[in-house]
Amino acid sequence: MSEVTRKVVFLIGFIAVCAIRVHFMQLVKQNKVVDGRTTAQEKFLLILTFFGMFLLPLVGIFTPWFEFASYDLPDWTGWVGTVVFMVAIWLFWRSHIDLGLNWSASLDIRENHTLVESGVYKYIRHPMYAAFWLWGIAQALVVHNWIYGLSYIVSFLPMYLLRIPQEEQMMLDTFGEQYQEYIARTGRVIPMIKSASDL
Ligand code: SAH
C-alpha cells in the first residue's frame, strides 16, 4: 500500500469519525446536563487528545514537517491497519447509537440519563474507549510516522487511565447497585475479563 493510499485511507476514516461526532453533539443538546463533573484535569486531558488525535495527524498529512520522523513497515501492515480502522469506526458509531442521548464528550450526567446495558454495552462498559484504542493501533499501522502515527495512543493513554475511575465513580454515585451489578458482569474494554486486573 503506497504512502498516498495510506494517507487517503486515514483521511476517509478521520472524516467519518468527525461526522459521527458532530451529529451526536447536535443530538444530545436536547438532553440537558444536570451533574457536570468536568475538572481542570479533565479539560487538560481533552486538550491533549485534541492535539494527538486531531491536530498532529492533520499537520503530518498536509505538511512535510514531520517527514524526518517516518518509519518503515511492510506493505501489508497498511491493509491490516485499514481493517482495524474499519472495526474502530464501526464500534465508535455503534457505541454512539447505543448510548444515544446519554452521551457526553466529558463526564456528565444528563437530565433523563439512563444506564445503558444493551447493544455493545452488554459486553463491555467502555466500547467507545475500546474504539479509541483500536483507532490508535490503526493509526500507527496506517501512518508510518513516530510523531503523528503514535500521537493518538500517547495522548489517549493518560485520559484512559485517569478518566475511567472517575467515570465509574460518577456512574456508581448515580446508579448505585445497578451499576455495581453491571460492573460484575462486564469487562472494561475486553469482554468477559473481570479479574483483579480488570481490563
Ligand atoms: N465510557 C463509555 C462512554 C464514553 S462517553 C464508553 O467508552 O463507551 C462518556 C459519558 O458516557 C459519561 O459522561 C457518562 O455519563 C456516559 N456513560 C458511560 N457509560 C454509560 C452507560 N453504561 N450508560 C449510560 N451512560 C453512560
Side-chain angles (χ1 to χ4, degrees):
M1 197 184 238
S2 74
E3 190 185 340
V4 175
T5 313
R6 285 189 280 105
K7 283 186 172 178
V8 170
V9 165
F10 179 79
L11 272 179
I12 291 172
F14 188 85
I15 291 167
V17 162
C18 289
I20 296 169
R21 254 290 133 100
V22 169
H23 171 70
F24 280 93
M25 277 165 101
Q26 297 301 322
L27 197 75
V28 295
K29 277 185 186 160
Q30 56 187 286
N31 197 6
K32 264 195 308 175
V33 171
V34 289
D35 180 7
R37 304 222 183 167
T38 310
T39 58
Q41 174 193 287
E42 172 77 5
K43 279 184 193 152
F44 171 76
L45 293 173
L46 281 169
I47 292 170
L48 193 68
T49 54
F50 172 76
F51 275 89
M53 298 175 170
F54 194 82
L55 205 59
L56 285 180
L58 285 185
V59 171
I61 286 210
F62 288 111
T63 74
W65 299 346
F66 299 145
E67 271 174 14
F68 69 94
S70 305
Y71 53 72
D72 277 330
L73 283 179
D75 246 21
W76 58 265
T77 58
W79 294 106
V80 175
T82 304
V83 173
V84 179
F85 228 8
M86 285 159 66
V87 177
I89 294 169
W90 176 82
L91 189 55
F92 183 72
W93 167 78
R94 189 64 242 181
S95 31
H96 265 296
I97 295 277
D98 290 338
L99 264 191
L101 295 180
N102 300 301
W103 174 73
S104 294
S106 54
L107 298 184
D108 296 320
I109 295 295
R110 293 185 178 271
E111 196 167 41
N112 296 306
H113 212 116
T114 52
L115 178 62
V116 176
E117 300 171 80
S118 56
V120 279
Y121 287 85
K122 186 173 172 188
Y123 308 100
I124 47 177
R125 299 196 291 287
H126 303 285
M128 209 173 281
Y129 302 157
F132 288 161
W133 279 126
L134 291 173
W135 179 281
I137 293 165
Q139 187 161 313
L141 291 172
V142 170
V143 176
H144 298 172
N145 188 283
W146 290 109
I147 298 173
Y148 69 102
L150 296 183
S151 62
Y152 197 106
I153 291 181
V154 171
S155 67
F156 181 57
L157 183 66
M159 160 157 294
Y160 179 80
L161 294 176
L162 293 169
R163 192 197 252 203
I164 283 197
Q166 292 171 5
E167 182 170 330
E168 295 199 337
Q169 190 55 55
M170 177 182 81
M171 298 306 281
L172 278 169
D173 293 345
T174 311
F175 296 101
E177 216 172 292
Q178 196 188 352
Y179 197 72
Q180 194 78 56
E181 283 165 14
Y182 178 55
I183 289 180
R185 57 172 195 276
T186 48
R188 273 189 169 153
V189 289
I190 298 176
M192 307 313 289
I193 295 190
K194 290 164 265 169
S195 64
S197 67
D198 195 14
L199 291 168

